Amino acid sequence: MSRSPASSRVDATPAFASAILGWGGTAFLARLALCGAYLLGGVVKLTDFHGAVAEQAHFGMPHPALFAMLTIAVELIGPALVLSGRLVWLGAGMLGVFTGLAAITANAFWTMHGPERFGATNAFFEHLGLIGGFVLTAIMAERRPSGS
């Protein structure tokens, strides 16, 4: 009995994984997982604007109220675009740039020492991973057949 070339490949996707990846809801749930913290953060900041302004002041942002409003807008509009499947490149781009700026501002590990540096280094590189996820999300949306 001969095996087909595809089934004998070591890197062939198992049937259960193909079923999960092929299910229509998987892509949406993955985008929700990627954007969920931003969406939640935007809602929390919107409902506690004073706290959002205080957070911006804590990070030394000039005009903290303005930066709080901009942060809320990015954290709500970016996920809405990514989750809607419309202008995904824009929503993912907004969130990716925001994440990069936040990583540099809040996790400047190169200025820290000791345990603080360790935590900030991990958080910085986790943020880079999120940026990669946003780039991949935009790539996948671009490759999606029109009308789907």
Side-chain angles (χ1 to χ4, degrees):
M1 178 178 201
S2 69
R3 296 173 69 177
S4 70
S7 66
S8 64
R9 289 192 359 234
V10 174
D11 63 342
T13 305
F16 77 91
S18 287
I20 293 168
L21 295 172
W23 176 61
T26 299
F28 178 80
L29 290 175
R31 292 191 314 269
L32 181 60
L34 183 61
C35 294
Y38 297 90
L39 195 56
L40 180 61
V43 169
V44 168
K45 288 173 182 72
L46 189 62
T47 60
D48 180 14
F49 189 70
H50 178 73
V53 172
E55 179 183 52
Q56 296 300 317
H58 168 78
F59 288 115
M61 302 307 290
H63 312 290
L66 173 63
F67 276 89
M69 288 187 285
L70 291 172
T71 298
I72 292 166
V74 168
E75 288 187 330
L76 295 177
I77 295 168
L81 293 173
V82 170
L83 293 172
S84 73
R86 304 282 185 214
L87 300 174
V88 173
W89 66 270
L90 180 59
M94 290 169 65
L95 293 168
V97 169
F98 172 79
T99 300
L101 293 173
I104 291 167
T105 301
N107 300 303
F109 65 90
W110 52 91
T111 66
M112 301 173 186
H113 301 357
E116 182 184 35
R117 180 184 176 108
F118 179 79
T121 301
N122 284 341
F124 182 87
F125 285 99
E126 288 170 356
H127 281 77
L128 289 184
L130 285 168
I131 293 167
F134 289 122
V135 171
L136 288 172
T137 298
I139 289 169
M140 296 306 295
E142 184 72 17
R143 292 182 178 174
R144 189 177 52 213
S146 62
S148 65

